[in-house]
Amino acid sequence: MSRGTYIKRPNRPLQIYAVVFLIVLYVPVLFIPMFSLNDSIYVRFPLQGFTLQWYGELWTRQPVWNALWNSVRVGAVVAVVSTILGVVAARAITRYRIPGKGALITFIMMPLVIPGIIFGVALLVLLSRMGVPLTLYTVGLGHLIVCLPFAVATLLPRFEGFDPSMEEASADLGENGWWTFWRVTFPMVFPGVIASLLLTFTISFDEFIMAFFLTGTEPTLPMYIWSQLRFPQEFPSVLALSSLILLASFVLVFVAQRIGRIGLDEARTET
């Protein structure tokens, strides 16, 4: 073996920790789809039988579709707005010398460490003092606070790995800043933009705490699920609906992560 080379040995304690972590995190979640197939309104072992009845009942419930449509509308708007703001913030952080840049990044990322209930109560008090009625717009405002840090965190690696000489070459050829962004910068960071859209939509779609404080008469899907937990006969359908949400969320997050890594691995290899 030549000097400077070494053999990577598996880290057994770290592997054991990872396995235990995944078991603790995901095994309880897997009980949801399992019990959604149970032929009983009660969650208990042993299972009474196998049925798809609860999934079929979802198609006949108009309140479910109304709540789903509300969540989709809020999630789509929040995803677009947070991604646009994330692009602006990530570009400013990586391209310009900003006084207090570290404090600015900390301020943007603060919703990741501050409990959502604090923001929910604060927004509820502020909006009530201003006389603003609680609607889907107020829910979207709360979701925007939660989603913006994820958008910035997703887009920052894209702008940090982008070669500024490409923009300089475009400027030397006579393009203004606007067309340079759309013809040079945006295509290069486009995978990060798509990843940010998918990730922030998923977070907004699944977010409950902000919606709990800021929802008016039009509930989002998590709020509808919460309201149905009081009725035992509705619980199996709630489990079926939760299983579908888990599947959709997993697919969206997985696709977002895969798209967000396009080009980054190659760039690391080249460096």
Side-chain angles (χ1 to χ4, degrees):
M1 183 174 61
S2 61
R3 181 179 299 178
T5 61
Y6 61 93
I7 300 175
K8 293 184 177 180
R9 294 183 174 87
N11 190 329
R12 296 299 181 187
L14 183 60
Q15 291 177 345
I16 295 174
Y17 169 78
V19 171
V20 173
F21 177 82
L22 292 176
I23 291 175
V24 174
L25 184 64
Y26 288 108
V27 167
V29 177
L30 295 179
F31 281 102
I32 294 178
M34 181 180 67
F35 283 115
S36 70
L37 301 173
N38 185 30
D39 188 15
S40 174
I41 64 173
Y42 301 105
V43 176
R44 62 187 179 185
F45 284 108
L47 301 181
Q48 300 300 309
F50 176 85
T51 181
L52 296 176
Q53 172 188 351
W54 317 120
Y55 289 89
E57 288 185 359
L58 292 176
W59 300 100
T60 62
R61 299 192 175 189
Q62 189 60 36
V64 173
W65 297 106
N66 293 337
L68 174 63
W69 176 237
N70 291 337
S71 290
V72 169
R73 286 190 295 170
V74 172
V77 173
V78 169
V80 172
V81 175
S82 60
T83 299
I84 292 175
L85 295 178
V87 168
V88 175
R91 178 176 171 79
I93 291 171
T94 56
R95 292 292 183 271
Y96 304 104
R97 294 182 178 178
I98 303 175
K101 181 184 295 187
L104 176 61
I105 296 176
T106 301
F107 179 78
I108 294 175
M109 298 299 177
M110 194 174 296
L112 295 178
V113 295
I114 295 181
I117 191 173
I118 302 298
F119 282 109
V121 172
L123 280 176
L124 178 61
V125 172
L126 177 62
L127 294 174
S128 62
R129 291 291 184 180
M130 297 175 60
V132 178
L134 299 181
T135 63
L136 292 179
Y137 293 101
T138 57
V139 175
L141 177 61
H143 287 189
L144 182 62
I145 295 175
V146 176
C147 292
L148 182 58
F150 290 94
V152 174
T154 302
L155 291 164
L156 269 178
R158 279 290 165 183
F159 281 93
E160 289 176 346
F162 180 75
D163 188 1
S165 62
M166 302 290 290
E167 295 177 329
E168 296 172 359
S170 176
D172 292 339
L173 294 174
E175 289 286 9
N176 57 34
W178 178 256
W179 286 111
T180 295
F181 174 79
W182 282 111
R183 293 181 177 179
V184 179
T185 307
F186 186 76
M188 297 294 291
V189 301
F190 183 72
V193 172
I194 298 299
S196 175
L197 287 171
L198 293 176
L199 183 60
T200 51
F201 175 82
T202 303
I203 294 171
S204 174
F205 187 88
D206 295 339
E207 211 283 329
F208 171 77
I209 297 178
M210 288 292 187
F212 181 81
F213 287 99
L214 303 176
T215 295
T217 59
E218 298 177 285
T220 58
L221 193 57
M223 286 299 301
Y224 173 80
I225 293 176
W226 170 259
S227 66
Q228 296 302 301
L229 293 179
R230 297 173 295 174
F231 309 105
Q233 67 274 14
E234 305 291 339
F235 194 66
S237 297
V238 170
L239 292 177
L241 182 59
S242 301
S243 301
L244 296 177
I245 294 175
L246 281 174
L247 177 61
S249 300
F250 173 80
V251 172
L252 285 177
V253 172
F254 177 79
V255 172
Q257 293 297 322
R258 295 291 296 180
I259 293 177
R261 294 180 63 87
I262 294 177
L264 293 180
D265 294 334
E266 290 81 354
R268 293 192 185 99
T269 302
E270 293 175 358
T271 57

